[in-house]
Amino acid sequence: MQLTGAPVERGAEILTSEALDFVADLQRRFGARRDELIAGRAERRAEVARTGRLDFLDATREIRDGDWSVADTPEDLLDRRVEITGPTERKMAINALNSGARVWLADLEDANTPHWANVISGQVNLADAIRRRLEFTGPDGSEYRLRDDTRLATIVMRPRGWHLDERHLVVGDRPAVAALVDFGLYFFHNARELLARGSGPYFYLPKMESHLEARLWNDVFTHAQQALDIPHGSVRATVLIETIPAAFEMDEILYELRDHAAGLNAGRWDYLFSVIKYFRDQGPNFVLPDRNGVGMTSPFMRAYTELLVRTCHRRGAFAMGGMSAFIPSRRDPELTEVALAKVRADKEREAGDGFDGSWVAHPDLVPVCREVFDGVLGNAPNQRGRTRDEVSVTADELLDVAATPGKPTAAGLHGNVAVGLRYIEAWLRGNGAVAIFNLMEDAATAEIARSQIWQWLHNDVTLTDTGERVTPELVRRVVNEELATIRDTLGAEPFEASRFGEARALFERVALSDDFVDFLTVPAYELID
């Protein structure tokens, strides 16, 4: 293995020769299969482009019809009524662990720019958090420490998706698979310590598109446990159902991971991106209206969440709700009141539908989410006994995008450009979780923004409020207008010192190119250290 990343403070504690040997072994054993599965994604998408259709798999009908359950749940994952998400930056990690949430999703994926320093410092921070030695002193002298008078959130780490590489670790002549790097370093240093403390190595698995990808993860878990003499089944994984093909394989994904499965999560924002991406060339029936107008009560989104709850509870797994991106403002009580009302309504719908818990992006939102789920759960830790046998979801219902109310508008186009530019610029500077217009945004935000523009361009969409047809010229004009607004807000000197020039070039590349770029983070990765 070649290590090409620059030195990171305390990085030597993570990048030990033994840990690197472990990661290299994972890469040699599983890297080629990852490559095959990524190639399989392209083949499946090509078939969808030809047929305009996805469906449940005939070959796995026996699994869907079978009587089986996932493994028993560890004690510290039995109650997941509130989960807080966020990057592994030191101060934010302390705040998340102290927040009163039952779980902290420690995010090395969409809320984290994979600068080498972020990747390794995140591992340092996680190791310190697990050993209860995480501290931080701010520039103003403010001190942050883990509380010792209350239960801290259980850590569930999210590695990067299968599609990404880590160019700073090269095995043979190939960069290592980023997911194997994130998992391998974390598992090697922390699995035994977590078990000794009454917890375990728990993971959120992102961006999967098939049960075969879940099978690969299961094989990785099995081998890692054997290699380090960790009891089989110590790993628990919650899978984000955030791609449209995975929605057709929920049972199969749980089955492949059944010795290590904890549940499924409704990853709503990436799911929207996936729907647009998969059916981007299928005509007006798959053209979505403005992003902010696509709610969870839209028929195709409703079908997706109903199927997820039924599938999970039938198999003894947890059904986890999606992200509430609204963030309160401690300086604006009226704005906070609106945000809290929206979060409450979202969580009331999820709790009423049978979800076992849900996500928030800010510590101030933990109490309202907890209050809603407390009201439904009472003294019970979850709703897994509510099997939703009355739910029956068809392929047509999952694909009924055309029934979504609303139309594309100029306001929606401006919103996509404004958010996309702001997020990409922050991502390039190393910030993957960004507050934009009082919403906490991650990489899925920019993906929806640019893919929606691509789809509108290639389907001759006309904006209903202005009558303008979406063209490259119109998009570039809007980009100019939004950048002028940003420049006026920041001032000329800070704007020139920013990375908005690179953000513009990248945004236009992934929104306006003839060929669709599967993930904008792949070309963006070439622009960072």
Side-chain angles (χ1 to χ4, degrees), residues 417 421 475-483 504 507-508:
V417 172
L421 289 171
V475 174
R476 291 189 179 97
R477 190 187 81 203
V478 172
V479 168
N480 287 335
E481 293 170 359
E482 292 299 332
L483 285 174
R504 173 184 187 144
F507 185 79
E508 291 186 357

Side-chain angles (χ1 to χ4, degrees), residues 79 81 355-357 372-383:
D79 187 332
R81 66 189 68 199
F355 280 95
D356 299 294
V372 169
F373 276 89
D374 284 350
V376 172
L377 294 175
N379 293 325
N382 54 66
Q383 299 194 75

Side-chain angles (χ1 to χ4, degrees), residues 249-261:
E249 300 184 31
M250 294 187 201
D251 267 310
E252 294 89 334
I253 287 169
L254 286 175
Y255 183 80
E256 294 293 345
L257 286 161
R258 60 195 180 279
D259 286 353
H260 302 109

Side-chain angles (χ1 to χ4, degrees), residues 236-472:
R236 285 295 185 275
T238 304
V239 176
L240 292 114
I241 301 299
E242 54 186 353
T243 70
I244 182 67
F248 287 87
E249 300 184 31
M250 294 187 201
D251 267 310
E252 294 89 334
I253 287 169
L254 286 175
Y255 183 80
E256 294 293 345
L257 286 161
R258 60 195 180 279
D259 286 353
H260 302 109
L264 304 177
N265 169 272
R268 59 180 71 171
W269 303 123
D270 269 299
Y271 190 77
L272 281 178
F273 163 52
S274 178
V275 169
I276 296 169
K277 176 166 69 172
Y278 243 73
F279 295 96
R280 62 186 182 265
D281 45 16
Q282 295 304 308
N285 283 340
F286 286 94
V287 172
L288 283 167
D290 298 348
R291 174 177 77 107
N292 291 339
V294 183
M296 296 306 293
T297 58
S298 301
F300 78 104
M301 296 297 284
R302 185 78 178 150
Y304 149 66
T305 55
E306 291 277 86
L307 179 61
L308 189 146
V309 173
R310 182 184 186 279
T311 301
C312 286
H313 289 180
R314 184 184 176 205
R315 306 304 181 186
F318 283 79
M320 300 308 303
M323 167 70 81
S324 282
F326 298 103
I327 52 176
S329 171
R330 293 171 181 173
R331 294 188 297 271
D332 189 336
E334 291 184 8
L335 184 65
T336 295
E337 185 177 351
V338 171
L340 291 177
K342 290 180 178 179
V343 171
R344 181 178 296 277
D346 183 57
K347 301 315 171 191
E348 286 175 344
R349 175 189 53 77
E350 290 181 326
D353 286 347
F355 280 95
D356 299 294
S358 191
W359 286 9
V360 297
H362 192 283
D364 288 355
L365 298 180
V366 169
V368 67
C369 184
R370 183 173 56 226
E371 179 185 337
V372 169
F373 276 89
D374 284 350
V376 172
L377 294 175
N379 293 325
N382 54 66
Q383 299 194 75
R384 287 186 299 174
R386 189 179 169 196
T387 55
R388 300 299 310 275
D389 296 332
E390 77 280 8
V391 171
S392 178
V393 174
T394 67
D396 286 341
E397 289 172 320
L398 287 171
L399 298 176
D400 189 16
V401 175
T404 307
K407 298 290 184 181
T409 69
L413 175 60
H414 274 268
N416 281 338
V417 172
V419 172
L421 289 171
R422 284 170 167 82
Y423 182 82
I424 292 173
E425 195 274 339
W427 192 95
L428 293 173
R429 286 188 286 106
N431 187 3
V434 188
I436 304 174
F437 305 140
N438 298 110
L439 296 175
M440 186 62 75
E441 309 284 17
D442 66 13
T445 296
E447 294 285 26
I448 295 171
R450 64 92 180 189
S451 63
Q452 187 160 61
I453 290 173
W454 194 100
Q455 186 186 41
W456 291 354
L457 280 170
H458 289 80
N459 286 274
D460 294 323
V461 163
T462 297
L463 303 174
T464 56
D465 50 348
T466 63
E468 295 176 285
R469 188 167 67 89
V470 180
T471 63

Side-chain angles (χ1 to χ4, degrees), residues 49-313:
R50 186 182 67 81
T51 65
R53 184 75 183 170
L54 276 170
D55 210 335
F56 299 98
L57 303 177
D58 287 334
T60 56
R61 187 179 303 277
E62 289 187 5
I63 292 174
R64 293 195 300 278
D65 294 342
D67 182 16
W68 53 270
S69 299
V70 301
D72 291 340
T73 304
E75 181 69 25
D76 59 342
L77 283 180
L78 280 172
D79 187 332
R80 304 176 65 172
R81 66 189 68 199
V82 187
E83 300 192 344
I84 188 167
T85 75
T88 52
E89 184 270 333
R90 211 162 178 86
K91 176 184 170 183
M92 294 181 75
I94 294 170
N95 288 339
L97 289 164
N98 289 342
S99 67
R102 299 293 300 189
V103 166
W104 171 41
L105 187 158
D107 198 2
L108 294 178
E109 197 229 2
D110 270 5
N112 181 65
T113 302
H115 284 266
W116 180 240
N118 285 353
V119 171
I120 301 306
S121 65
Q123 295 279 354
V124 171
N125 295 340
L126 286 169
D128 282 352
I130 289 163
R131 291 159 180 82
R132 301 297 188 263
R133 63 192 186 202
L134 191 64
E135 299 178 350
F136 176 75
T137 301
D140 61 354
S142 299
E143 295 184 349
Y144 299 81
R145 289 184 174 86
L146 296 177
R147 294 178 61 177
D148 57 10
D149 60 345
T150 189
R151 179 191 184 278
L152 300 181
T154 297
I155 297 174
V156 181
M157 191 272 274
R158 178 162 67 169
R160 283 169 283 180
W162 280 133
H163 61 287
L164 294 168
D165 290 333
E166 176 49 73
R167 68 171 183 265
H168 300 98
L169 290 176
V170 179
V171 179
D173 60 352
R174 297 290 304 278
V177 176
L180 297 178
V181 173
D182 295 343
F183 165 80
L185 293 175
Y186 181 78
F187 188 86
F188 182 87
H189 288 291
N190 302 306
R192 197 173 306 281
E193 182 73 21
L194 284 161
L195 291 169
R197 291 174 175 270
S199 188
Y202 306 147
F203 300 93
Y204 258 110
L205 303 180
K207 304 287 192 294
M208 281 198 280
E209 295 193 7
S210 78
H211 69 286
L212 298 178
E213 296 179 18
R215 182 182 298 172
L216 176 55
W217 267 121
N218 196 70
D219 289 347
V220 170
F221 296 155
T222 298
H223 170 72
Q225 290 166 140
Q226 290 174 346
L228 298 185
D229 196 25
I230 301 295
H232 181 80
S234 296
V235 170
R236 285 295 185 275
T238 304
V239 176
L240 292 114
I241 301 299
E242 54 186 353
T243 70
I244 182 67
F248 287 87
E249 300 184 31
M250 294 187 201
D251 267 310
E252 294 89 334
I253 287 169
L254 286 175
Y255 183 80
E256 294 293 345
L257 286 161
R258 60 195 180 279
D259 286 353
H260 302 109
L264 304 177
N265 169 272
R268 59 180 71 171
W269 303 123
D270 269 299
Y271 190 77
L272 281 178
F273 163 52
S274 178
V275 169
I276 296 169
K277 176 166 69 172
Y278 243 73
F279 295 96
R280 62 186 182 265
D281 45 16
Q282 295 304 308
N285 283 340
F286 286 94
V287 172
L288 283 167
D290 298 348
R291 174 177 77 107
N292 291 339
V294 183
M296 296 306 293
T297 58
S298 301
F300 78 104
M301 296 297 284
R302 185 78 178 150
Y304 149 66
T305 55
E306 291 277 86
L307 179 61
L308 189 146
V309 173
R310 182 184 186 279
T311 301
C312 286
H313 289 180

